[in-house]
Amino acid sequence: MKIIVAHSAGFCFGVNRAVKMVNELLDQGKKVCTLGPIIHNPQTLAQLASRGVTIVESPDGVPPDSTMVIRSHGVSKAVYDSLLEKKADFVNATCPFVAKIHNIVSKASAEGKTVLIAGDAHHPEVEGIRGHCTGKCYVFKNAGELQNILEHFPVAQEDSPCVVAQTTFSVSEWENCLEMLKRVYTNATIFDTICNATAKRQSEAEFLSRQCDVMIVIGGRESSNTAKLRDVCMKNCTTYLIETADELPLSVLKESECIGITAGASTPASIIKEVLDTMSEINEGAGQDLMENNAEGNFEEMLEESLKNLNTDEKVRGVVVGITPSEVYVDVGRKQAGFIPAAELSADPNVRPEDLVKVGDEMDLLIMRTNDQEGTIMLSKKRLDAAKGWETVTAAEENEAVLTGVVTEVIKGGVIAVTNGVRVFIPASQATASRGDSLEDLLKKEVNFRIIEVNRGRRRAVGSIRSVLKDERKAQAEKFWETAEEGKEYTGVVKSLTAYGAFVDLGGIDGMIHISELSWGRIKHPSEVVNVGDTVQVYIKGLDQEKGKISLGYKRAEDNPWEVLKRDYPVGTVCDVTIVGMTAFGAFARIIPGIDGLIHISQIADHRIEKPQDVLKVNDVVKAKITEIDFDKKRVSLSIRALLEPVEQAEEEVPAE
């Protein structure tokens, strides 16, 4: 028995990606549901169900705390809108090929064109495509149905209908329909949207079925592309569609000399391997070795092997057609679906794809891998940007130019800044103006720096922010001295504190507020008034350009407590005062912050007392009258007795009954 296995059999890119997404969510410990079966393969569905995956028919059926996965077939715009409105937690696994069709029909409908879709009207992929059409839309599954549409729902020649195909549509049937369409509409806009992997599978199946006595097509009976493979093979030889190895027609196989095997895009490699293992039991000798050599590696290592087909260093221009948290899908004008992994989008690891690009954006990209088997191209924007940016970085080292970048990471020994797509290491000693400054404050901030070292062999660069800051401060200092004069006011930031004052950054140069200038009252430390980082209004009290010293004033004349006393507390004012100290001759009381007055012992009570403590104690709040103010000597006299005598005299004048 000779067994020939189609090279493209098994999971296609879109299905593999969707199943992988579900498994990754499960591995993260999340509850997962899918909008309809994630794959048309009952065995895979059973395996996912055993891990807790449920199937829902609409967004309304999503269980609480579950993440819903949109399968590779895609959904209508109405479903997307419903998910967004409900703020549902969902992951979009729509195949890039299908997403491209959505964009095509959506744009055509917006332009008022009639859309013709080649496909099965009841297939979820076609239902999703129709859901992105806002105008006239017709579906046909063969040339006969297309003929009926053209006869009963004619489209005016000038309207130029838009024609697309389900990704798994029969290639031969598509060619028949196109021949009919081109006879009727010379100006129709036709998009060949049959998936490259689908076309290749059908071509291989056609070729194999002409060589073999029997064809075994492995896949789910609900799978559209698997059914198409069966139909292709049946035209040339006896064909069996099976879902598992248990369904193999063993008696037929024993009598066959040459057997061909292919599998649908939703058939996992494990089932294909199981079928091959079962067939090996009825095979003998060299036939068994031939089967294993041709088949085993093709399925278990299919993806890895296909990635060896490299086509790198080629630049292409693409248009963004879809965005997910992990990938960006682009149309590069080829049959293959282009995708950019999130890690290849930007040198900034913190950036989210949806914040960097939007659907419709055009960009230059570098081809990393071409996988013809799956019909995909892996692309990189980051590497192309870095290639262009490296020239800028190396030139900046030579001419000492200042570059602008964003700090994306704080690492051991410094920070990483990205400029022109190139990662530049900035050591901690070169990252801030002062060694004590926090590196964390730079994270996600835009900074200016110079390139101080370049390793061209390893394509690494070292930068310095401090170098730029030093020059900036020097220029600011020169500008400051040109205009500085005593009395001029500035807004500054408190940079540091000492026991004798506060240093303030005036923008390129520092000045000092002496502790005596911070408050009209007595303070023990500047931190009682200001803190590092405070924005303060100051004025210049003194300048010494030779020594580079600037004395600053902070307290305002209008805040002078003696001015406040003169304005608000004239002689004769009665006010609440707080006892703050005692002496043998009286008590001192706080009138307002910064001014204490003396209540002489003779003015504390209306009778003779031995000492102030007989009547008062510290922190007592009493009413007193201001009897005298000496602004020159900064003295205030107070009296409690002056408020007591009139009351007692009034009591003495009350006549007896």
Side-chain angles (χ1 to χ4, degrees), residues 523-537:
I523 58 173
K524 294 181 179 180
H525 193 270
S527 60
E528 296 178 38
V529 180
V530 293
N531 293 300
V532 173
D534 285 354
T535 299
V536 293
Q537 291 294 126

Side-chain angles (χ1 to χ4, degrees), residues 347 349-350 407-418 423-429 431 438-444 460-462:
N350 302 308
V407 175
T408 59
E409 297 175 72
V410 176
I411 62 176
K412 184 179 180 180
V415 300
I416 298 294
V418 175
R423 289 162 56 87
V424 177
F425 173 64
I426 302 175
S429 61
S438 171
L439 296 181
E440 295 292 339
D441 293 340
L442 295 175
L443 189 60
K444 297 184 180 180
R460 293 185 179 179
V462 179

Side-chain angles (χ1 to χ4, degrees), residues 211-280:
Q211 298 182 45
C212 300
D213 302 322
V214 175
M215 282 295 297
I216 302 296
V217 181
I218 311 170
R221 289 185 173 81
E222 299 299 319
S223 168
S224 173
N225 70 86
T226 302
K228 297 294 192 307
L229 291 176
R230 177 199 58 199
D231 294 344
V232 167
C233 296
M234 287 178 64
K235 296 176 182 177
N236 301 311
C237 69
T238 302
T239 301
Y240 295 91
L241 191 159
I242 65 172
E243 289 189 346
T244 66
D246 294 338
E247 299 176 9
L248 280 169
L250 300 182
S251 59
V252 175
L253 298 181
K254 290 178 181 179
E255 299 174 359
S256 302
E257 294 183 2
C258 183
I259 301 172
I261 296 178
T262 187
S266 55
T267 306
S270 60
I271 293 181
I272 300 172
K273 183 66 165 58
E274 182 185 4
V275 169
L276 292 173
D277 288 342
T278 301
M279 292 181 67
S280 70

Side-chain angles (χ1 to χ4, degrees), residues 557-586:
E558 58 269 24
D559 297 329
N560 185 336
W562 290 98
E563 293 298 322
V564 175
L565 189 75
K566 182 185 291 185
R567 183 184 68 233
D568 300 334
Y569 297 85
V571 173
T573 300
V574 176
C575 54
D576 291 330
V577 298
T578 302
I579 305 301
V580 294
M582 300 285 192
T583 69
F585 54 84

Side-chain angles (χ1 to χ4, degrees), residues 1-35:
M1 182 197 305
K2 182 180 181 182
I3 299 173
I4 305 175
V5 182
H7 291 292
S8 299
F11 273 177
C12 70
F13 165 75
V15 171
N16 185 64
R17 174 174 163 271
V19 173
K20 183 180 178 182
M21 282 184 176
V22 173
N23 281 311
E24 285 177 348
L25 290 170
L26 292 171
D27 292 342
Q28 294 169 18
K30 295 187 177 181
K31 294 172 60 178
V32 180
C33 66
T34 63
L35 189 57

